[in-house]
Amino acid sequence: MKKNLLYLVLILAMLSTLWGCGKAEDKKEEAAAVASSSPTETAAKQEIQKVGEQGKENGKETETGEPDTSGEGREITDMAGRMVIVPDTIEKVFPTDPTAGIFLYTLVPDRLLGWNYELNDTEKSIILEKYHDLPNFGMGDAINYEAVISAGPDLIFVVGALNDNLTDQADKLADQLGIPAVVVDNSLKASPDAYRFMGELFGVQGEAEALASYAERTFADIAAMEIQGGKKVRMYYGNGEDALETAPTGSDHAQIIDMTGAVNAADLELGDGTRLQISLEQLLAWDPDVIVVNGEPKANISGRQTAEKILGDPNFASLKAVQNGQVYGTPNAPFSWVDRPPGPNRLIGIRWLSGLIYPDALDFDVEEEVCEFFRLFYHVELTEEQLAALYDGTIGQGN
């Protein structure tokens, strides 16, 4: 009997030792995982843990400590072909960049969690006042992910040109933040599909169809234009304070030029970027028929101001476009009509630009279409004064 009891004590001691070793290994693995995480990832994981603990306090976990997802979630396929489980009801959406924010504002403004920068006066002149003071979460490397998680988004909204980098970004964000991420194609021609996808995603198919149909009608109207004599206008599109940053043929930022039937004077190799810096000598050599400039949003310089500067600068005086007075600044309220960012704001830019370079080829009234676009996409009924200020670039500037 004593011998059996001794065996039992020895067995229990061995089991206790093994259990202790297992816990020690678990601690080591946990420490290694934390050590290998970047500061941003570690902070995000800590915030996720806080959210989980808050959910437990509010009774949102099961008795096992796991989130209670019974009856919640549906599987969708986003525009990059990714299978994603999203909540049945999506109330708060985090846009990862300004383009994503514009897409959300045009269709589901009440679900927009926040902006990626502070809105300026020009943007506030059109954006409804109730959305002026939404949180600014930042963009790129400056996104405040702790603030994002604290705000409790249901979904991460990633918009851009469909490629591996974009899908990798979405996958990493979903993994690090513990929030589903969907990808939307920002190609101009994909605008109707993008809105129909969003309509299904957010359960607002009727509203989305109105925007998708406007985009399709815009493309059809532009395609139906008959350019007199078949002579296409050679256009230069400039960005920046000196207007010498351009979007070459084939760039995502030059899509609007191609769609209007103009010839992009910047027929250059694109390289790794989306825009290229050129010299004044290069522009003089091209000598385009028309020059359209966007200004520099980061410096609060409008297209109109840049166009006026070029028209009065003797360095540009030999250009055909300058001599003929065909240098134009893009309207930029609430966002540039041609580019920066490359979002649905470009849809009205196609109509405006076509009317600018081929006024006799149009089968629609540009001003009527501008008013319709602002009503559908920006939720405002433009006054005559606002319309005039949009064209001369003074809206929101107090002059």
Side-chain angles (χ1 to χ4, degrees), residues 200-245:
E200 294 290 337
L201 178 65
F202 298 122
V204 289
Q205 290 90 335
E207 295 89 336
E209 185 57 36
L211 305 188
S213 295
Y214 182 94
E216 286 181 334
R217 183 163 55 84
T218 297
F219 299 154
D221 286 345
I222 300 304
M225 291 192 314
E226 295 185 6
I227 302 172
Q228 292 185 356
K231 185 179 179 181
K232 294 186 176 182
V233 169
R234 290 183 68 253
M235 180 192 303
Y236 171 77
Y237 171 59
N239 267 286
E241 296 182 35
D242 59 4
L244 294 177
E245 182 184 80

Side-chain angles (χ1 to χ4, degrees), residues 278-291:
I278 66 165
S279 65
L280 174 60
E281 290 71 23
Q282 177 66 80
L283 179 57
L284 295 175
W286 284 336
D287 195 18
D289 302 315
V290 172
I291 295 176

Side-chain angles (χ1 to χ4, degrees), residues 285-306:
W286 284 336
D287 195 18
D289 302 315
V290 172
I291 295 176
V292 176
V293 290
N294 193 56
E296 181 46 65
K298 292 180 180 179
N300 200 29
I301 298 174
S302 70
R304 175 182 64 90
Q305 292 169 321
T306 305

Side-chain angles (χ1 to χ4, degrees), residues 85-123:
I85 301 295
V86 299
D88 288 326
T89 302
I90 302 171
E91 298 293 344
K92 295 187 288 185
V93 187
F94 164 61
T96 59
D97 72 353
T99 304
I102 295 174
F103 266 104
L104 291 171
Y105 179 77
T106 56
L107 182 62
V108 284
D110 288 337
R111 307 191 200 191
L112 176 62
L113 190 67
W115 301 103
N116 303 95
Y117 61 95
E118 295 293 336
L119 297 179
N120 60 35
D121 290 341
T122 298
E123 291 157 346

